[in-house]
Amino acid sequence: MQTFTYEVEGDIKSTLPKPICDESGEQILYVQRIYDNSLKKLFDSYFDYRYFLKYAVQTSEGKSIFETKKIFRRGKVWFEATDLLTTERYIINYENWRIGVPELFVSGNTFKMKIEKEMEDWSNFIVNDTVIARWLAVYEEQKDIFAMTFELSEEAPVQNPAFYIAIAQATLFIGV
């Protein structure tokens, strides 16, 4: 498994880019909360910084390569992710609301991936009953930061770490 690490502030309103490092400690990407305009940022401040969010993963040169955003329409909430290099779109939503515990799924053109969300342990990305990636956030109270760790297996249908990190930041770190 490949391992990637990064840190984000405990204050979720931050829009500073945060470096993502690989196993050797080399900075390979950035993750950043972004707003399309200052009006959305202002509205989001009234709603606890959880509604008009968009996360981008960028190259070390600052070019966005993957984005995930929260969508509200007709009383429903879901996330939409876009690979900005291939223009492929993914829908992330909760299923099985009526039977008690909703399940989070990522739907692409060629796969359907389940995300088992855990608050204090590894959250697993699962395809065909196999864990193909996992993400963990550990809060460090003294620094007021979350230390994030992401692991990606060779069996994953998407080998781009930006895909998983952008989705995890929006759905697992912020949520519905």
Side-chain angles (χ1 to χ4, degrees):
M1 282 209 178
Q2 298 176 58
T3 303
F4 304 89
T5 57
Y6 61 103
E7 296 179 341
V8 296
E9 287 98 354
D11 181 7
I12 64 171
K13 64 185 173 190
S14 174
T15 57
L16 296 173
K18 296 299 177 182
I20 300 168
C21 298
D22 63 11
E23 297 136 339
S24 66
E26 182 181 340
Q27 178 183 317
I28 58 165
L29 298 168
Y30 286 97
V31 65
Q32 182 178 17
R33 184 181 187 131
I34 59 175
Y35 291 95
D36 293 330
N37 57 56
S38 57
L39 187 60
K40 282 188 178 182
K41 187 174 183 178
L42 176 67
F43 281 143
D44 210 27
S45 69
Y46 291 119
F47 297 109
D48 199 25
Y49 295 95
R50 296 180 184 273
Y51 293 93
F52 296 98
L53 69 92
K54 184 190 278 189
Y55 274 98
V57 176
Q58 303 158 342
T59 64
S60 55
E61 294 81 33
K63 179 183 176 192
S64 290
I65 58 172
F66 202 92
E67 290 183 350
T68 302
K69 63 182 177 179
K70 189 182 275 191
I71 309 285
F72 293 93
R73 293 213 177 94
R74 298 184 192 123
K76 294 185 179 187
V77 179
W78 70 92
F79 296 87
E80 184 177 282
T82 306
D83 184 325
L84 300 174
L85 301 177
T86 66
T87 67
E88 188 167 355
R89 292 189 178 277
Y90 305 91
I91 301 299
I92 303 101
N93 63 350
Y94 287 94
E95 295 182 8
N96 302 324
W97 282 99
R98 293 186 179 104
I99 62 172
V101 180
E103 297 174 313
L104 187 59
F105 286 92
V106 179
S107 300
N109 291 336
T110 59
F111 65 86
K112 188 168 187 174
M113 181 182 302
K114 180 179 176 181
I115 302 175
E116 288 182 340
K117 183 177 182 176
E118 295 292 335
M119 297 303 289
E120 298 191 21
D121 201 0
W122 289 96
S123 292
N124 296 315
F125 291 77
I126 300 169
V127 175
N128 298 328
D129 296 323
T130 302
V131 176
I132 50 92
R134 60 191 200 150
W135 182 86
L136 176 68
V138 176
Y139 182 63
E140 296 179 14
E141 189 172 353
Q142 296 78 11
K143 296 181 188 177
D144 190 30
I145 61 152
F146 285 89
M148 312 296 196
T149 304
F150 170 68
E151 295 180 349
L152 179 62
S153 79
E154 298 78 29
E155 293 85 28
V158 177
Q159 284 295 308
N160 183 357
F163 167 89
Y164 300 94
I165 291 171
I167 290 172
Q169 278 303 118
T171 62
L172 302 176
F173 186 66
I174 301 298
V176 179

